[in-house]
Amino acid sequence: MSEIYSENSNYLLQNRYLQKNDDGKVIESPKQLFKRVAKAVSAAEKNWDNTININYWEDIFYTMMSELVFLPNSPTLMNAGSKQQQLSACFVLPIFDSMKSIHDTYEHAKIIQTTGGGIGFNFSKISPKNNYAYSLSKHLSGPISVMEDFNSLTNAVKINGRRRGANMAILDINHPDIEEFIDIKRKDGALSNFNLSISISDEFMQAVSQNDDWELIHPNYKYVVKQTNAKALWNKIIDSAWATGDPGVLFIDTINNDNPTIKLGQINATNPCGEVPLLPYESCNLGSLNLVKFLKLNKRFNEINWKKLEENIKYAVRFLDNVIEINQYISPEIKKATIANRKIGLGVMGWAELLILLEIPYDSDKAVTLGEKLMQFIQEKAMEASIELAKVRGVFPNWEKSIYAPNIPIRNATRTSIAPTGSISIIANTTSSIEPLFALAYQQNNILDEKSFTNININFIEALKKNNMYSDGIMQHIYEKGSAADLNEIPISIKNLYKTAIEIAPEWHLKHLLAPKLRDGLRI
């Protein structure tokens, strides 16, 4: 195998992504994987031009992936060119207050998780515990009980024998069972296969600021079940999030203010990690650019190769639009909703490593300013690429009902999204998404069942060696603490450059999240 793949990436590729025969033996190399995916995705080119040279696009897509410049989401890497060609990572499924709806959604979820997708659900239409169901006129056990059933499904279904699926459970802030939902993760093992988020309205935040009471309302019969204090409820959310990591919050009015297809209806859910708000039955295909691959040496210093970045943004948008075309959809509803809006999500990984190689501390105005410039560039070039595709392939079917009509003929309702890149950043051997360094050395767990990955920051080791500071003692400290903050012998300039997440003040994390100021539909 090529040296471009690290020990961790090789292990992950072998155990999750490379094709296996019926005996479980790996039957392809990483290069063959990328060849398989490139061949499958480039085949879509014939749908619009029978005279096109497919080999040209196959070579471009293969080079992007094999050189780790761009990687699509995991289902595309796993399934493209295989019998089960379900390629989407992100889904939102509706669920209503009836046994039929719950059953149908359950069956859809089973197939999606088997093929590698993650699912977001808003359970707010389910009648509260010990109350009457809207469509059955009898008692149901409430939304949390339904969530537990879906959680058990995820335990039972292992994706291609390689990993469990991911879910997002959402409940509206005015649901009568919201207080139980806020605290559910305080119970050991509860909803272990779900991220939790609360759908929060502007009206609720106003009630918090004014210390008003807040009404919890039956979702179907619309009567007030009880009242509580809005600020007390908000503090409860904060306490549980601090204690367990859940729940998160979705500012749903903000999401719908930027909904590019608002005429089709309100969005009420996102994919499992929250980066892709979707309408019911929509799916989305994601991919990420490895920012480190866009550096070039100018004299003695690195700088961003903007020309190369622009070129690969164009290729990546085309790649993701092709994925929509060759995708095998698990139901007519998902196919119809996905093709109607053709949403894609192009993001980035390696941001923290890029800053290190540019010698820019993460917690600096210079870093945030570069983030603004970089993401504005990616958003603008992704939009330009989608507009160019529309000239040949046509606008997305719901275009006339979108914010782009009548002046901006465009192929994809959304183009960009910042995903966590948990697995593909390991393959690319870089830092995940736009996050700062987690630690200079650490164990990464739960990527492949009980397998742990040992991570050591190679750039930090090279910086030590360059400054004649590398020693067993320093490395022992790094392995034990994960940080250089307590090492007096390390110069402050190196410490500042290699600060880990816990050393960086919270406001800097937020500044990086807010850096892409130009909005691209729902994607920031």
Side-chain angles (χ1 to χ4, degrees):
M1 292 185 184
S2 169
E3 292 181 1
I4 194 172
Y5 308 112
S6 69
E7 181 181 348
N8 286 346
S9 64
N10 275 326
Y11 187 93
L12 188 61
L13 285 165
Q14 292 233 11
N15 285 274
R16 180 177 293 177
Y17 295 95
L18 301 183
Q19 296 282 293
K20 297 179 175 67
N21 62 19
D22 292 340
D23 297 325
K25 182 180 179 181
V26 173
I27 56 174
E28 69 178 356
S29 67
K31 288 188 175 181
Q32 288 171 327
L33 178 157
F34 296 129
K35 201 71 172 175
R36 164 173 57 82
V37 176
K39 186 177 183 66
V41 175
S42 62
E45 296 289 331
K46 287 286 187 181
N47 291 4
W48 302 285
D49 185 354
N50 281 326
T51 67
I52 201 165
N53 182 354
I54 286 183
N55 292 334
Y56 171 81
W57 286 107
E58 182 180 334
D59 288 344
I60 286 177
F61 295 156
Y62 169 76
T63 299
M64 290 172 67
M65 291 184 289
S66 63
E67 295 183 358
L68 306 178
V69 172
F70 163 85
L71 289 175
N73 52 219
S74 290
T76 301
L77 290 175
M78 290 176 181
N79 301 331
S82 68
K83 293 179 181 178
Q84 174 49 264
Q85 195 160 268
Q86 192 296 104
L87 311 179
S88 300
C90 306
F91 295 79
V92 161
L93 294 179
I95 188 164
F96 300 102
D97 201 35
S98 71
M99 293 307 298
K100 183 181 186 308
S101 174
I102 293 169
H103 175 269
D104 290 348
T105 301
Y106 190 93
E107 291 302 311
H108 278 133
K110 185 189 299 184
I111 300 171
I112 289 170
Q113 292 190 355
T114 301
T115 58
I119 313 165
F121 312 86
N122 189 314
F123 292 91
S124 300
K125 290 295 184 182
I126 305 294
S127 291
K129 185 168 61 176
N130 301 323
N131 213 300
Y132 283 101
Y134 182 61
S135 57
L136 299 176
S137 295
K138 71 176 187 178
H139 290 288
L140 284 179
S141 51
I144 292 176
S145 177
V146 178
M147 293 174 202
E148 289 169 344
D149 289 340
F150 280 78
N151 190 70
S152 297
L153 167 67
T154 306
N155 279 331
V157 177
K158 226 184 177 188
I159 300 170
N160 296 332
R162 288 177 273 195
R163 64 169 183 162
R164 292 194 181 101
N167 303 291
M168 170 73 86
I170 298 164
L171 203 64
D172 292 352
I173 190 64
N174 62 355
H175 193 281
D177 290 352
I178 191 66
E179 291 170 293
E180 182 183 1
F181 181 74
I182 291 168
D183 283 339
I184 191 67
K185 283 287 186 87
R186 292 179 184 269
K187 300 177 183 178
D188 288 343
L191 299 182
S192 57
N193 296 307
F194 273 93
N195 291 327
L196 309 183
S197 281
I198 298 172
S199 178
I200 289 183
S201 62
D202 291 348
E203 183 183 6
F204 173 74
M205 294 308 298
Q206 185 176 4
V208 171
S209 67
Q210 295 176 356
N211 200 23
D212 287 341
D213 285 339
W214 182 250
E215 294 179 342
L216 304 183
I217 300 171
H218 194 290
N220 302 306
Y221 294 113
K222 303 302 180 186
Y223 64 84
V224 176
V225 175
K226 66 176 289 189
Q227 283 191 334
T228 187
N229 179 264
K231 182 172 277 189
L233 195 58
W234 178 246
N235 287 335
K236 189 179 184 69
I237 294 169
I238 293 170
D239 288 344
S240 282
W242 180 259
T244 70
D246 276 306
V249 294
L250 297 176
F251 293 109
I252 203 68
D253 291 330
T254 300
I255 287 174
N256 279 295
N257 286 341
D258 287 330
N259 181 351
T261 55
I262 192 65
K263 291 181 181 179
L264 301 177
Q266 296 277 315
I267 286 172
N268 69 4
T270 75
N271 72 318
C273 292
E275 76 272 20
V276 184
L278 296 170
L279 291 163
Y281 292 115
E282 274 191 314
S283 66
C284 188
N285 305 295
L286 310 180
S288 296
L289 297 161
N290 181 359
L291 294 175
V292 177
K293 297 296 182 178
F294 300 102
L295 285 177
K296 64 179 180 179
L297 189 64
N298 185 1
K299 298 180 180 178
R300 294 189 304 106
F301 298 100
N302 288 319
E303 63 179 28
I304 294 175
N305 186 336
W306 297 98
K307 182 178 179 181
K308 180 181 178 182
L309 179 58
E310 179 177 358
E311 182 178 61
N312 281 274
I313 291 168
K314 177 177 69 175
Y315 296 155
V317 168
R318 191 182 191 105
F319 179 106
L320 293 172
D321 190 65
N322 284 10
V323 168
I324 296 172
E325 204 70 12
I326 66 165
N327 210 345
Q328 292 180 1
Y329 298 94
I330 69 159
S331 76
E333 299 96 330
I334 292 173
K335 181 176 183 179
K336 180 181 178 181
T338 302
I339 291 178
N341 295 320
R342 304 192 70 89
K343 290 180 177 177
I344 61 173
L346 177 62
V348 299
M349 55 185 164
W351 172 240
E353 185 178 7
L354 177 83
L355 290 175
I356 288 170
L357 295 175
L358 291 172
E359 299 185 10
I360 302 173
Y362 192 95
D363 55 345
S364 68
D365 289 331
K366 188 175 181 181
V368 174
T369 299
L370 179 61
E372 293 172 355
K373 179 180 179 181
L374 179 74
M375 289 313 303
Q376 179 176 334
F377 184 86
I378 292 173
Q379 288 168 351
E380 288 177 350
K381 299 307 175 184
M383 176 172 269
E384 289 175 10
S386 187
I387 290 170
E388 285 300 309
L389 284 179
K391 293 177 181 178
V392 176
R393 302 180 178 186
V395 297
F396 62 93
N398 279 331
W399 176 78
E400 289 186 354
K401 299 176 182 178
S402 77
I403 62 173
Y404 305 108
N407 298 318
I408 307 175
I410 196 164
R411 180 69 172 163
N412 312 98
T414 60
R415 280 79 52 201
T416 57
S417 179
I418 306 297
T421 71
S423 296
I424 62 172
S425 63
I426 294 176
I427 297 173
N429 195 29
T430 190
T431 53
S432 59
S433 192
I434 60 170
E435 297 298 315
L437 296 177
F438 177 75
L440 296 178
Y442 61 99
Q443 293 286 331
Q444 195 167 2
N445 301 317
N446 300 318
I447 298 297
L448 275 172
D449 294 328
E450 297 179 1
K451 170 67 179 177
S452 295
F453 291 101
T454 300
N455 290 273
I456 178 70
N457 193 287
I458 300 301
N459 293 316
F460 179 72
I461 292 177
E462 291 179 355
L464 292 179
K465 290 180 177 178
K466 182 180 178 180
N467 289 274
N468 298 316
M469 301 188 65
Y470 184 88
S471 71
D472 291 341
I474 286 178
M475 292 312 302
Q476 182 63 33
H477 180 94
I478 295 300
Y479 279 115
E480 291 177 359
K481 303 293 185 181
S483 166
D486 296 334
L487 290 171
N488 294 329
E489 58 267 48
I490 303 292
I492 191 67
S493 58
I494 294 179
K495 286 184 181 181
N496 285 342
L497 201 57
Y498 288 91
K499 280 185 181 178
T500 61
I502 201 168
E503 299 169 64
I504 294 171
E507 54 264 31
W508 288 107
H509 294 257
L510 292 174
K511 286 179 180 180
H512 282 264
L513 291 173
L514 293 170
K517 290 179 179 177
L518 293 184
R519 293 175 182 270
D520 172 17
L522 288 174
R523 312 298 186 260
I524 295 178

